[in-house]
Amino acid sequence: QNQASPAAGMTSELLDRYEEGILGGTSAGDIITCATSGTVTCGSNGTLSYTRIGRVVTIVGSVEISAISSPSGHLQFALPFASGDLTQLATRAYGNCFVHSLGAAVSGSPSVFIDEGVSVFKIYFTDSYNTNTILSGSNIDANSVFGFSFSYLSA
């Protein structure tokens, strides 16, 4: 129900969209790409599910890597919808991530990072010295597993 007096800064009170879907499949190119070169392939567990309500998109699921071929550069995971791009980083998002069986150790705690106006997200590791390391192709192997549960604002 619309309010008689909208709150300061409010632009809309209407729910204009609801959608559920699956992102990915056994061809990991639908979900994971390498920023520089190489390929990553998922096994039978290579999908993420999403729900979009208005502009809010929630992603949950697990991706298990079954094969790699010379992956290099930062790993990028596909989003079902591009992220929003508002002033002062208002739509930059961070989320929960579980990482298991990396090929090369990365120090720190993993988290999802979604910049503004992009169609991918990355995994950052932040250590106790606040040093951020982006997960790259050299950190994974054919048994790496990623679990996600996060929300972001779409464009």
Side-chain angles (χ1 to χ4, degrees):
Q1 174 177 342
N2 288 344
Q3 301 295 320
S5 300
M10 183 180 292
T11 59
S12 177
E13 293 182 358
L14 301 176
L15 178 62
D16 64 349
R17 186 170 187 170
Y18 180 88
E19 180 177 334
E20 295 178 348
I22 299 292
L23 179 64
T26 56
S27 171
D30 292 342
I31 292 183
I32 305 171
T33 56
C34 304
T36 306
S37 65
T39 59
V40 178
T41 304
C42 291
S44 59
N45 297 320
T47 60
L48 300 175
S49 63
Y50 69 87
T51 302
R52 179 176 176 165
I53 302 173
R55 291 184 60 203
V56 178
V57 180
T58 299
I59 295 178
V60 297
S62 179
V63 176
E64 297 179 13
I65 296 174
S66 62
I68 59 174
S69 177
S70 305
S72 67
H74 300 133
L75 290 186
Q76 303 175 129
F77 295 77
L79 293 170
F81 307 97
S83 61
D85 191 0
L86 299 174
T87 61
Q88 300 178 353
L89 305 178
T91 54
R92 182 175 278 181
Y94 305 87
N96 295 322
C97 175
F98 167 81
V99 176
H100 181 63
S101 298
L102 290 178
V106 181
S107 64
S109 300
S111 63
V112 168
F113 173 71
I114 305 166
D115 207 352
E116 293 191 310
V118 297
S119 296
V120 297
F121 67 92
K122 298 175 184 176
I123 297 175
Y124 275 67
F125 288 82
T126 304
D127 66 17
S128 58
Y129 301 105
N130 288 326
T131 301
N132 294 315
T133 303
I134 303 172
L135 184 70
S136 70
S138 63
N139 299 119
I140 63 170
D141 68 16
N143 297 311
S144 297
V145 178
F146 306 97
F148 302 105
S149 176
F150 63 91
S151 297
Y152 71 99
L153 288 178
S154 62

